[in-house]
Amino acid sequence: MKFSRALLTAAAMAAVLPAGAAQAADGDAPGPGVAEYVALGDSWAADATLSQVTTAFTPANCVQSAHNYAKQVAAALSVPVFRDATCGAAVTANMTAAQSGPLGTNPPQFDRLTDSTDLVTLEIGGNDADLAATVQTCVTLDPAATPCLDTMVVAGVDQMSLNIARAESRVIDTVRGVRARSPHARILLLDYFEGIGLTGGCFPTIPISDPDAIWLGSKLLELHSMLAQVASTTGVDFVDTYDGSSGHDACRPVGTRWVEGLVPFSGNPVGLAVPFHPNQLGADYQARRVLEVLGAS
């Protein structure tokens, strides 16, 4: 999902690992039936970080983690050919259009796909719905204020629900684009896990009122349902990270939460973080779920 230019600037100061650091160790045998794996998606796929950024596959703008779930999966399967195109702030259009920033350009993500690609993970759609950007508008100093509900629910019509519904066709087109370029690939579509609970927030730790927090949580659930429907419509494997993530939202203490709150600092790992994005525990959970769907856990 998206994040501010200030965070992109902070990324330039984050540790950058040497090229190739995320690839499987030399000499490892390939995983069963997986010879070429390509990871696609936005910042929740990149597991966007400001403390363990790698430029092995993408420019620093993408704030791609050296230990995101795709790299963990590639290592677990000992995949001999692995390319990670995931990039913070990506939308479905960036599958076929380059994504530029102050520290470099990420080529169209589909450029990494080939006819011989046999495994693809895809996590996209949150930015197409503008959900991540909307989170920032919910921040308030007044625990009784509801800036998100006031802005997004107009005459009884929930504009975010409309955004999520509109994003469905774009994600479907993206899956079809993967299939056209890599017809032999097994495609896994991931959702976004429960970063915000359904029963209220934790004001003032995260300065979002309970009504707005509940609304945001319900939108993540709608996004989950939409992506599950896309997987059903297109016949790809759905990696459900939402179910099973309850109790690990941004309001939980360090060591329990899988996603960070508003403060751009994480305890897992200790260091700068991208607010409202998975920490390392969240990335580890995503990796476990992918491997479970692949039958390799």
Side-chain angles (χ1 to χ4, degrees), residues 37-131:
Y37 168 29
V38 176
L40 307 172
D42 59 21
S43 55
W44 274 59
D47 286 316
T49 179
L50 297 178
S51 63
Q52 48 185 0
V53 176
T54 175
T55 55
F57 297 98
T58 57
N61 303 304
C62 291
V63 290
Q64 189 186 100
S65 172
H67 307 289
N68 67 356
Y69 68 79
K71 295 179 185 68
Q72 293 188 53
V73 169
L77 299 179
S78 298
V79 178
V81 179
F82 169 57
R83 292 182 287 274
D84 191 344
T86 61
C87 189
V91 294
T92 52
N94 295 123
M95 299 300 110
T96 55
Q99 190 176 353
S100 298
L103 300 175
T105 297
N106 194 33
Q109 293 195 26
F110 277 175
D111 285 5
R112 278 73 153 197
L113 298 170
T114 73
D115 186 67
S116 57
T117 302
D118 53 3
L119 176 64
V120 175
T121 53
L122 171 66
E123 185 172 12
I124 200 77
N127 291 330
D128 287 81
D130 270 340
L131 183 56

Side-chain angles (χ1 to χ4, degrees), residues 93-212:
N94 295 123
M95 299 300 110
T96 55
Q99 190 176 353
S100 298
L103 300 175
T105 297
N106 194 33
Q109 293 195 26
F110 277 175
D111 285 5
R112 278 73 153 197
L113 298 170
T114 73
D115 186 67
S116 57
T117 302
D118 53 3
L119 176 64
V120 175
T121 53
L122 171 66
E123 185 172 12
I124 200 77
N127 291 330
D128 287 81
D130 270 340
L131 183 56
T134 299
V135 171
Q136 306 299 327
T137 70
C138 297
V139 174
T140 177
L141 297 176
D142 180 358
T146 55
C148 271
L149 282 168
D150 295 345
T151 302
M152 297 303 299
V153 181
V154 180
V157 178
D158 193 315
Q159 301 303 306
M160 184 56 64
S161 293
L162 294 179
N163 289 352
I164 292 170
R166 292 188 191 105
E168 181 174 348
S169 63
R170 301 178 198 172
V171 181
I172 289 173
D173 288 344
T174 298
V175 172
R176 289 172 176 164
V178 173
R179 188 168 279 141
R181 291 162 177 80
S182 300
H184 309 295
R186 182 175 181 182
I187 303 170
L188 276 61
L189 179 65
L190 283 78
D191 61 356
Y192 303 84
F193 57 78
E194 188 180 291
I196 301 173
L198 294 169
T199 58
C202 50
F203 193 97
T205 302
I206 297 178
I208 295 175
S209 67
D210 279 348
D212 270 0

